[in-house]
């Protein structure tokens, strides 16, 4: 298991790099824009392939590295379904699993610091974002923060995890690196309250100044989506309603790049093939499944995913590999649903 806790001293942010083995797939949690070069260097040194970049919530104190990592590594960007970010490649909800090869994290919706705060549980450790900090809790006075919701997230979700579960937060300002659920139960001064009302009162009295970066970071972090217009300008995109007219036509193949769990949750476009995004490079190169299919049938390849990001990156890779008919459904299944496109249960 590869587990790295990386630190940005300017914002006091912890970023976590996870992988099950050298040479394998990697996932990064809460990357900071200014540190992206360092992450990529480490990923290369450890011979890893970055598959997913995840933010626990929309940060107010630093600009996220999600967009830059996606542009440079073609990884999938991930946030919770309640996030106000414009576009990410994948959105998760309570009970979903966040997976890469050899690593599975359970998704917990833990609102309170913000209304889009999520925690991720990996067996013996939990990544708590700014919901539960070491001997502290994330402030609840902006970004739809809610001390009552945070009390519920902490007391009824996080503190119910096994006592020995390690707590890895998104921030620390005193140099603490890790804690446990038992330690926080016993020694976190904010958690020594007798009722939710007492907690709400405590959080209401904090009177903290806004983060220095807030006016810059929040708007920047809400616009991390890949610019899909560029793909459209090249004629490599179609709208969901245009794609709907093509269902069942013998000269097109619809290709679903999403994961099995996304297909089960949202359904699939009738007649489409499943070719998961992480296998894309292998599938579009000569000898690969999609390359050979296009060559043998002459059909137009129409990629789709959840929101159009993975499919936009797939179109570029397919075009680079010589599949000149490749295009995608702009906006993905999200746009497809809005256009009343038919979906079959998976
Ligand atoms: Fe935060």
């Amino acid at each position: 298991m590869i587990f790295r806790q990386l630190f940005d001293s300017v914002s006091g942010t912890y970023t976590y790099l996870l992988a099950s083995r050298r040479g394998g797939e990697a996932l990064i949690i809460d990357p900071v824009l200014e540190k992206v070069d360092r992450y990529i260097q480490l990923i290369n040194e450890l011979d890893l392939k970055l598959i997913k970049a995840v933010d626990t919530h929309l940060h107010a104190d630093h600009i996220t590295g999600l967009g830059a990592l996606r542009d440079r590594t073609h990884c999938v960007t991930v946030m919770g379904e309640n996030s106000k970010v414009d576009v990410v490649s994948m959105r998760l909800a309570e009970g979903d699993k966040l997976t890469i090869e050899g690593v599975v994290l359970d998704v917990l919706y833990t609102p309170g610091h913000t209304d889009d705060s999520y925690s991720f549980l990996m067996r013996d450790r939990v990544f708590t974002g700014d919901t539960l900090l070491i001997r502290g809790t994330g402030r609840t006075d902006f970004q739809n923060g809610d001390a009552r919701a945070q009390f519920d997230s902490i007391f009824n979700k996080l503190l119910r995890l096994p006592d020995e579960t390690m707590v890895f937060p998104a921030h620390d300002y005193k140099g603490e690196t890790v804690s446990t659920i038992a330690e926080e139960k016993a020694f976190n001064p904010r958690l020594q309250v007798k009722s939710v009302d007492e907690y709400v009162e405590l959080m209401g009295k904090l009177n903290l100044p806004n983060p220095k970066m807030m006016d810059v970071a929040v708007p920047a972090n809400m616009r991390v989506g890949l610019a899909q217009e560029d793909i459209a300008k090249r004629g490599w995109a179609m709208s969901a309603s245009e794609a709907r007219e093509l269902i069942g036509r013998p000269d097109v193949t619809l290709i679903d790049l999403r994961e099995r769990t996304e297909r089960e949750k949202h359904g699939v476009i009738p007649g489409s093939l499943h070719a998961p995004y992480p296998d894309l490079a292998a599938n579009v190169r000569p000898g690969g499944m999609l390359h050979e299919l296009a060559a043998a049938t002459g059909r137009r390849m129409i990629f789709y995913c959840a929101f159009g990001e993975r499919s936009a990156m797939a179109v570029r890779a397919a075009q680079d590999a010589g599949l000149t008919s490749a295009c995608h459904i702009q906006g993905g299944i999200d746009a497809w649903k809005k256009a009343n496109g038919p979906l079959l249960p998976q």
Side-chain angles (χ1 to χ4, degrees):
M1 179 77 205
I2 293 172
F3 174 79
R4 294 297 167 92
Q5 183 178 37
L6 303 153
F7 188 55
D8 172 51
S9 56
V10 177
S11 60
T13 303
Y14 284 126
T15 299
Y16 300 94
L17 180 69
L18 314 177
S20 64
R21 62 180 178 92
R22 259 186 109 87
E25 295 184 355
L27 172 142
I28 197 164
I29 299 174
D30 286 330
V32 174
L33 178 63
E34 287 79 6
K35 292 282 189 271
V36 162
D37 283 343
R38 170 66 188 131
Y39 308 144
I40 290 179
Q41 182 192 1
L42 182 60
I43 286 162
N44 290 336
E45 287 166 351
L46 298 176
D47 190 26
L48 298 172
K49 180 167 169 40
L50 186 67
I51 297 290
K52 287 179 181 164
V54 189
D55 267 352
T56 50
H57 64 288
L58 200 122
H59 296 283
D61 58 349
H62 67 270
I63 298 180
T64 176
L66 251 58
L69 284 168
R70 176 206 57 224
D71 292 343
R72 292 178 57 180
T73 69
H74 301 143
C75 70
V76 170
T77 55
V78 185
M79 286 188 81
E81 65 175 359
N82 290 335
S83 177
K84 286 175 190 67
V85 63
D86 59 347
V87 178
V88 280
S89 303
M90 185 184 282
R91 287 182 185 260
L92 297 171
E94 166 91 18
D96 284 348
K97 304 235 186 269
L98 169 61
T99 57
I100 55 165
E101 171 208 6
V103 177
V104 180
L105 291 90
D106 292 308
V107 180
L108 306 172
Y109 179 43
T110 50
H113 168 58
T114 63
D115 59 357
D116 73 336
S117 289
Y118 290 76
S119 299
F120 300 101
L121 174 67
M122 187 176 78
R123 295 191 316 267
D124 62 347
R125 61 199 65 194
V126 61
F127 303 97
T128 54
D130 290 355
T131 302
L132 178 58
L133 305 175
I134 299 173
R135 309 299 190 264
T137 56
R139 62 194 296 174
T140 54
D141 56 341
F142 57 58
Q143 289 186 287
N144 299 319
D146 179 343
R148 210 162 277 277
Q150 191 176 50
F151 180 93
D152 186 55
S153 296
I154 294 174
F155 281 87
N156 295 324
K157 281 189 186 161
L158 297 174
L159 296 191
R160 289 191 178 176
L161 296 173
D163 272 350
E164 60 279 14
T165 309
M166 287 181 279
V167 172
F168 286 100
H171 289 292
D172 195 85
Y173 308 99
K174 295 182 188 145
E176 303 283 347
T177 53
V178 60
S179 180
T180 65
I181 291 294
E183 268 178 64
E184 292 312 308
K185 268 185 199 163
F187 306 117
N188 189 321
R190 299 235 179 115
L191 306 185
Q192 311 311 312
V193 290
K194 293 192 179 56
S195 67
V196 61
D197 291 328
E198 198 184 324
Y199 186 73
V200 172
E201 197 188 328
L202 174 77
M203 294 306 283
K205 284 190 192 150
L206 292 179
N207 257 326
L208 299 164
N210 278 348
K212 286 193 282 296
M213 284 281 284
M214 186 165 169
D215 294 341
V216 178
V218 170
N221 289 340
M222 280 167 80
R223 287 192 307 266
V224 302
L226 177 85
Q228 294 181 29
E229 305 78 52
D230 187 45
I231 297 283
K233 265 189 220 139
R234 294 173 178 233
W236 296 344
M238 61 176 66
S239 69
S241 19
E242 283 168 337
R244 216 177 55 179
E245 304 305 314
L246 302 177
I247 290 186
R249 286 241 313 243
D251 54 342
V252 300
T253 301
L254 281 146
I255 300 153
D256 187 358
L257 297 165
R258 295 171 303 158
E259 295 183 2
R260 184 178 51 80
T261 51
E262 295 174 281
R263 286 159 58 83
E264 286 168 0
K265 197 164 171 179
H266 299 282
V268 301
I269 298 179
S272 54
L273 276 183
H274 186 208
Y277 178 74
D279 305 333
L280 181 80
N283 279 333
V284 297
R285 72 169 69 105
M289 187 257 285
L290 296 176
H291 197 102
E292 295 312 303
L293 182 73
T297 64
R299 288 188 199 160
R300 182 160 204 209
M301 303 267 137
I302 306 172
F303 291 103
Y304 72 93
C305 59
F307 301 99
E309 274 213 345
R310 279 169 281 181
S311 56
M313 295 191 283
V315 168
R316 242 190 218 129
Q319 291 281 349
D320 287 348
L323 298 176
T324 53
S325 75
C327 67
H328 83 132
I329 302 178
Q330 194 153 340
I333 284 291
D334 187 49
W336 182 262
K337 281 184 184 166
K338 287 171 188 154
N340 293 315
L343 287 165
L344 292 177
Q346 178 57 25

